[in-house]
Structures are given as structure tokens and as C-alpha cells.
Amino acid sequence: DLPIVITREIRRNRPDSVAWDRAIEPRILFISAEPAGMTVPKKAHIQALREALEPWIRWPRQGGDDKDRLPLIKERLRLLLNPCIDEIYDECATGQYTHVHILAHGAVYEEAGEQRFGLAFCQQDDKYQADIISGKKLAKALQAEFSGSPSRSQPLVVTLSTCDSGNSGSLLIPGGSIAYDLHAEGIPWVFASQFPLTKRGSVKMTKTLYPRLLQGVDPRQVLYEVRRQLFMTAERDHDWASMVVFVSMPKDSSEFHNQVINFFERQMRRAIEVSFDRVDNCNKNDQVADEALDNVKNLLFISSVSYW
């Protein structure tokens, strides 16, 4: 009973596939916007991302608690709250992020007399006023040129936890949805929603998506699991059917399969090293040492299981 996963890819100007097992360690940029009283569940999303990163956040040499780990947490998770589009560009120009998670409201704007869907960020001079940003403008900001370098920011995964981010709108004018535009501009993996997305569904999606992506599970299997989790908790929504993903993969499927294996093994090795570091720095706290060793055992078990 094999899972079936439907993904999308643009027909022309196909973005180059980026290796899934890049040497850079995963770093997440979290962007949320609440202009004009548009509330979003940012605390729940931040908590979900923080928990997903936990196995790979190192412990200080002298031991300590989460407060002492704050500088190490900030190395892996950057929060950008209520930004304008220029602030997003500046942030991407100074840091290399592998994953960008965007939590905002979808909004309608007009182009050539037709309605298109964009994202409601904040205006530069008035954070309370909304600035509707198209997918193409967002792509330019996420692929900013590094300060003092000719190379550019190149996130591997962008997650749009927004309504209608996969909705193409009118077919009378060229272009597509926000997700389509991001993919067309070179983002290899774009997770989006083609219908209105409930707040509860957005949190569920984040909690299911990121622990598996960061662990190194095949992203196609991750998408299947996200849809299944959303379907099981669905009552009067269609979040499970709303999920769409634009992907760019090597034409040789075995090449991508090997990349997934390499990344999974690397992530398991990194997580085991973090747990051993905690044992070394526990200051003779037997309970903490036992918890860390149990975690190592679990990681070794997971790394021995073939999940695809």
C-alpha cells in the first residue's frame, strides 16, 4: 500500500535542482506579519519550530538551561516579526537560511484589472498598515545578494503558512500563484495552500512538517504524512486537500534518493553528538545523563530503520 504524493513543477524556466544534502547545517528564518490587526498564531508556530530544532541545538560547555542556550538557539532560528519587504531583503543578505517559514495573511491585489493573491506584510513607515507583496517581489527579497559578496541567498525550502498562497487567481493574465512565482524564480521546494488555511491547520502543518524535514525524512513522504495528519483532525475544513508543493528534483531519481540518505545520516550523527555533549556537560546530574543516553539510544534506533 504505497503512498501517492502529487507535486507540481512549472513547465518552463525550470529552476536548477539544489542538492538536498548540502553541507550547510539547517537554519530557519521565521517571518510573521500582523498589519492592520490581522492576528496570526505566531507563538504556536515559534514553539513548533523551536521543538523541531531541539535535537540539533548544542549545550553550553559549562552546562546550564535553555536561557544559557539562547545564543545557540539564535544561530539556528531567527525571528523576523512584522517586517516590511526591505527588512526581509536585508535579513537574507546577512544570513544563509536553508528554510524560510512565512506566517501571514493572504490578501488580494489588482494586476492588469484582474485580482491576484499576495501576502500582507507591513509598510516601511507604518507597521500598522498592510503592504501587499506579490510572489515575485518576495522571491527577490528571499534571494538577496550577500553583503560584500556576488553570491546570493538560496533557501532550499520555503513554507507559506498563509491563505491562498497556492491559488493562481485569474487565468487571463500571465503568471501564477505566490508559490508558483517563488518556484519560477528559483526556490527548489515551496510548500503552500491553494485554499484558505485555518489557524489550527497551520499549526498542525508546522508541527508535523518540520521535525521530519529536519530529521532527514524524504520530503515526499513528509508531505504525505502532513496531509494524513490534517485529514485525521479535519472537521469542517479542507486543509488536508489544500496542501500543494512545487518541487525541483534531479531527473535521476536515484540521485535524489542518495541525497536523502546522506542528509538523514548526517542529521542523525549531528543529533547523537549533541546528546553526547549533554552527557559530558551535565555536571554529574545522573537524571540528565540518563535522559541524554536514552535519547542517543532512540536516535540510534531511528537511524537503523529504513523509512522509505
Side-chain angles (χ1 to χ4, degrees):
D1 186 16
L2 296 176
I4 296 176
V5 177
I6 299 175
T7 59
R8 300 181 179 184
E9 187 177 23
I10 61 176
R11 292 184 178 179
R12 61 179 182 271
N13 297 331
R14 181 180 185 269
D16 295 333
S17 61
V18 178
W20 190 256
D21 58 340
R22 288 191 298 180
I24 180 175
E25 294 192 18
R27 295 184 66 207
I28 299 177
L29 173 62
F30 172 71
I31 303 172
S32 73
E34 297 177 298
M38 300 178 181
T39 60
V40 293
K42 61 177 181 293
K43 290 184 179 180
H45 280 250
I46 293 172
Q47 182 64 28
L49 295 174
R50 169 67 181 85
E51 292 175 355
L53 283 166
E54 172 62 21
W56 297 277
I57 298 176
R58 295 190 177 274
W59 292 79
R61 289 293 180 184
Q62 69 277 13
D65 54 18
D66 275 349
K67 292 182 180 179
D68 300 315
R69 298 172 75 196
L70 187 58
L72 299 174
I73 295 172
K74 289 182 177 180
E75 291 179 1
R76 294 303 188 94
L77 177 61
R78 173 77 169 98
L79 307 181
L80 199 57
L81 307 181
N82 291 327
C84 64
I85 191 65
D86 289 339
E87 291 171 333
I88 296 175
Y89 182 95
D90 292 340
E91 180 61 36
C92 292
T94 57
Q96 176 66 280
Y97 297 98
T98 58
H99 298 69
V100 178
H101 183 71
I102 299 176
L103 175 63
H105 283 272
V108 176
Y109 68 95
E110 282 197 3
E111 181 179 340
E114 297 291 335
Q115 288 190 340
R116 300 296 295 269
F117 291 97
L119 295 179
F121 290 121
C122 299
Q123 293 185 8
Q124 185 173 11
D125 300 328
D126 187 352
K127 295 292 185 178
Y128 189 78
Q129 297 298 322
D131 184 15
I132 312 304
I133 301 299
S134 67
K136 290 183 179 180
K137 290 183 179 179
L138 178 61
K140 300 300 182 184
L142 296 180
Q143 296 178 307
E145 185 176 271
F146 289 136
S147 302
S149 171
S151 59
R152 293 183 176 274
S153 169
Q154 190 176 36
L156 178 62
V157 177
V158 173
T159 306
L160 299 169
S161 188
T162 64
C163 295
D164 297 300
S165 53
N167 192 331
S168 60
S170 174
L171 301 177
L172 299 179
I173 54 178
S177 63
I178 305 170
Y180 176 97
D181 289 338
L182 289 176
H183 189 60
E185 293 294 327
I187 306 295
W189 290 79
V190 183
F191 290 79
S193 173
Q194 61 184 345
F195 307 133
L197 183 66
T198 65
K199 292 182 178 179
R200 185 183 65 173
S202 72
V203 175
K204 185 74 172 181
M205 178 192 72
T206 306
K207 287 183 176 180
T208 307
L209 179 68
Y210 277 91
R212 291 167 173 80
L213 281 182
L214 297 177
Q215 188 182 80
V217 179
D218 190 313
R220 295 165 295 183
Q221 184 170 338
V222 174
L223 173 61
Y224 178 84
E225 183 62 23
V226 170
R227 283 179 173 155
R228 189 171 69 152
Q229 292 284 342
L230 291 174
F231 179 78
M232 288 191 301
T233 56
E235 295 179 358
R236 298 179 181 178
D237 61 71
H238 295 85
D239 291 337
W240 65 274
S242 183
M243 287 287 298
V244 295
V245 181
F246 285 84
V247 306
S248 180
M249 294 167 42
K251 294 182 179 180
D252 185 356
S253 59
S254 62
E255 180 181 349
F256 183 72
H257 179 73
N258 291 332
Q259 291 177 4
V260 170
I261 293 176
N262 292 337
F263 182 65
F264 173 76
E265 291 178 347
R266 186 183 303 157
Q267 286 298 90
M268 287 298 99
R269 185 166 58 252
R270 288 169 174 166
I272 291 172
E273 290 173 355
V274 170
S275 293
F276 276 132
D277 284 345
R278 191 182 185 192
V279 175
D280 294 337
N281 301 325
C282 66
N283 296 327
K284 299 183 179 179
N285 187 325
D286 292 337
Q287 182 178 354
V288 173
D290 290 341
E291 291 176 357
L293 288 174
D294 287 340
N295 189 45
V296 171
K297 293 177 183 178
N298 292 333
L299 292 170
L300 289 172
F301 173 75
I302 293 173
S303 62
S304 66
V305 176
S306 178
Y307 51 83
W308 48 83

